[in-house]
Amino acid sequence: MKMRLSRAEYKEIVRWTDQLRPTRQCMKMLKERFPNHSQSTLLSIFSLEYQKRTKRTFSRHNAPDVIESHYQRYLSEAKAHPTAPVLLELANEVDLSPALMARIILDRFLQGLEGGMPSKTVLNSMLKEPSLIPDQILANNIYQCTINDCCYGPLVDCIKHAIGQEHEVLLCDKLKERNLSFLDENQLRVMGYDKTPDIILEVPIAVEGHIVHWIESKASFGDDHSHRTYLNEQFWSYWNRFGPGLVIYWYGFIGELDCQRDRGILLKDSFPTDIVTLCHAAQQDRLPQEPE
């Protein structure tokens, strides 16, 4: 499966995602349209694009009069069709994430029930466990929205966290297979570091002729916006503190973004196979020193 995309290939996928909603049925359509790309890559691209779209339009959906309109419509249609996925259909009709629609409607329901703003703790617990909602029809609608949203919501958050952890474990396993000595994020925190990459190599390696002191694992696709954000908020600070490093975008990236190699940041879409372990003594003068 193709993971590293040209900018033209990426833009073609993005153009096609504009007409899609964040449902599993739409993800199936996306995979059928681009069979040479992995489902994980396509889902990651769609998720990033849909989040951008949501940020542009969410304030409109979150206006008090719009919320009230959505809520009254939900009440009316749920009364007429108590077993239908009313909320999911409404979310798709107005082009809002089903999970975000569920949050808005549940929040409005609880305001009417409690006579004030519900706490985030109560709201989040009911979204995670709809059986806690004291209205069975609403609980069913919230559940339908949660399980049919592939970009937002508590189920997606859990899946993303698990996938991120899974790839960090995979990275550690690959390093151990190569008998490479390293410190992971947890060990570095114990040592007093606050902002660190996932892996610091105790003895640097060379990948495709480039020295690597650290490795960052990203279980996502690297597009322009996310990569630029990571560069500014993470990668350059790692480079300043620890020297040159490697970023693995497990679900691929736009090939043209791999343009910082000479400055010390290398991009890959899998664990490198052509690793050369550098002599510790020969590299000692190049190793970054922890500032006092």
Side-chain angles (χ1 to χ4, degrees), residues 129 165 276:
E129 186 48 74
Q165 294 282 92
V276 177

Side-chain angles (χ1 to χ4, degrees), residues 54-116:
T54 299
K55 284 175 184 174
R56 289 193 300 267
T57 61
F58 185 66
S59 60
R60 186 175 75 236
H61 291 292
N62 209 32
D65 58 325
V66 176
I67 291 173
E68 191 60 31
S69 172
H70 289 339
Y71 184 60
Q72 293 304 327
R73 184 169 165 191
Y74 159 73
L75 290 176
S76 172
E77 295 190 11
K79 186 176 181 181
H81 309 283
T83 60
V86 170
L87 212 50
L88 178 61
E89 290 169 359
L90 177 59
N92 290 331
E93 181 187 319
V94 301
D95 192 16
L96 178 62
S97 149
L100 293 181
M101 176 65 84
R103 173 176 282 272
I104 286 172
I105 296 301
L106 178 58
D107 185 67
R108 172 62 184 82
F109 168 77
L110 292 173
Q111 285 181 41
L113 202 65
E114 299 171 5

Side-chain angles (χ1 to χ4, degrees), residues 1 11-12 17 26 38-39 51 59 90 104 113 124 128 177 184 195 200-201 209 218 280 288-289:
M1 289 291 178
K11 284 185 175 178
E12 184 185 357
T17 64
C26 282
S38 80
Q39 186 155 336
Q51 285 167 28
S59 60
L90 177 59
I104 286 172
L113 202 65
N124 289 335
K128 288 177 184 175
E177 284 173 16
D184 65 25
K195 200 172 184 181
I200 296 283
L201 296 163
K218 295 294 183 190
H280 189 264
Q289 300 297 314

Side-chain angles (χ1 to χ4, degrees), residues 23-36:
T23 62
R24 304 193 189 285
Q25 293 81 3
C26 282
M27 289 307 96
K28 186 179 176 184
M29 291 165 56
L30 190 61
K31 178 60 181 168
E32 288 170 354
R33 174 64 180 79
F34 298 98
N36 295 328

Side-chain angles (χ1 to χ4, degrees), residues 4-285:
R4 179 172 174 148
L5 310 184
S6 69
R7 194 176 298 282
E9 289 174 312
Y10 164 74
K11 284 185 175 178
E12 184 185 357
I13 294 171
V14 168
R15 274 196 299 272
W16 211 79
T17 64
D18 283 344
Q19 60 187 299
L20 301 181
R21 301 288 182 265
T23 62
R24 304 193 189 285
Q25 293 81 3
C26 282
M27 289 307 96
K28 186 179 176 184
M29 291 165 56
L30 190 61
K31 178 60 181 168
E32 288 170 354
R33 174 64 180 79
F34 298 98
N36 295 328
H37 302 291
S38 80
Q39 186 155 336
S40 298
T41 297
L42 294 171
L43 175 57
S44 186
I45 292 172
F46 174 76
S47 182
L48 290 166
E49 290 304 309
Y50 190 75
Q51 285 167 28
K52 292 174 199 171
R53 195 199 307 178
T54 299
K55 284 175 184 174
R56 289 193 300 267
T57 61
F58 185 66
S59 60
R60 186 175 75 236
H61 291 292
N62 209 32
D65 58 325
V66 176
I67 291 173
E68 191 60 31
S69 172
H70 289 339
Y71 184 60
Q72 293 304 327
R73 184 169 165 191
Y74 159 73
L75 290 176
S76 172
E77 295 190 11
K79 186 176 181 181
H81 309 283
T83 60
V86 170
L87 212 50
L88 178 61
E89 290 169 359
L90 177 59
N92 290 331
E93 181 187 319
V94 301
D95 192 16
L96 178 62
S97 149
L100 293 181
M101 176 65 84
R103 173 176 282 272
I104 286 172
I105 296 301
L106 178 58
D107 185 67
R108 172 62 184 82
F109 168 77
L110 292 173
Q111 285 181 41
L113 202 65
E114 299 171 5
M117 295 296 289
S119 73
K120 281 190 177 180
T121 305
V122 170
L123 188 61
N124 289 335
S125 65
M126 288 184 175
L127 289 168
K128 288 177 184 175
E129 186 48 74
S131 63
L132 297 173
I133 299 169
D135 181 309
Q136 188 59 52
I137 294 174
L138 179 58
N140 290 338
N141 273 274
I142 298 293
Y143 175 73
Q144 286 291 333
C145 286
T146 300
I147 63 169
N148 281 288
D149 194 320
C150 59
C151 292
Y152 286 96
L155 179 60
V156 171
D157 291 342
C158 287
I159 292 170
K160 283 182 178 177
H161 179 72
I163 290 172
Q165 294 282 92
E166 179 187 339
H167 284 83
E168 287 176 23
V169 170
L170 173 63
L171 174 57
C172 290
D173 288 345
K174 293 285 187 184
L175 292 166
K176 289 171 185 173
E177 284 173 16
R178 294 296 190 107
N179 294 315
L180 296 171
S181 182
F182 65 91
L183 297 169
D184 65 25
E185 210 169 12
N186 295 325
Q187 291 170 304
L188 290 163
R189 283 204 191 98
V190 170
M191 293 168 65
Y193 291 92
D194 52 353
K195 200 172 184 181
T196 69
D198 294 314
I199 296 294
I200 296 283
L201 296 163
E202 294 192 286
V203 178
I205 60 174
V207 176
E208 298 175 11
H210 296 270
I211 296 172
V212 170
H213 287 281
W214 53 268
I215 305 175
E216 178 74 4
S217 170
K218 295 294 183 190
S220 61
F221 182 85
D223 69 355
D224 290 287
H225 177 75
S226 61
H227 185 63
R228 184 168 59 249
T229 302
Y230 287 140
L231 277 171
N232 294 333
E233 296 182 0
Q234 296 181 340
F235 304 158
W236 287 128
S237 64
Y238 300 161
W239 181 88
N240 283 326
R241 197 168 191 181
F242 304 109
L246 164 68
V247 178
I248 302 177
Y249 282 111
W250 295 100
Y251 296 152
F253 57 92
I254 299 171
E256 287 86 342
L257 296 176
D258 190 16
C259 58
Q260 306 285 359
R261 291 185 168 210
D262 292 341
R263 294 183 65 190
I265 295 178
L266 178 68
L267 304 187
K268 298 284 286 181
D269 59 14
S270 61
F271 189 80
T273 54
D274 55 345
I275 289 174
V276 177
T277 307
L278 303 177
C279 173
H280 189 264
Q283 290 299 320
Q284 192 64 43
D285 60 331

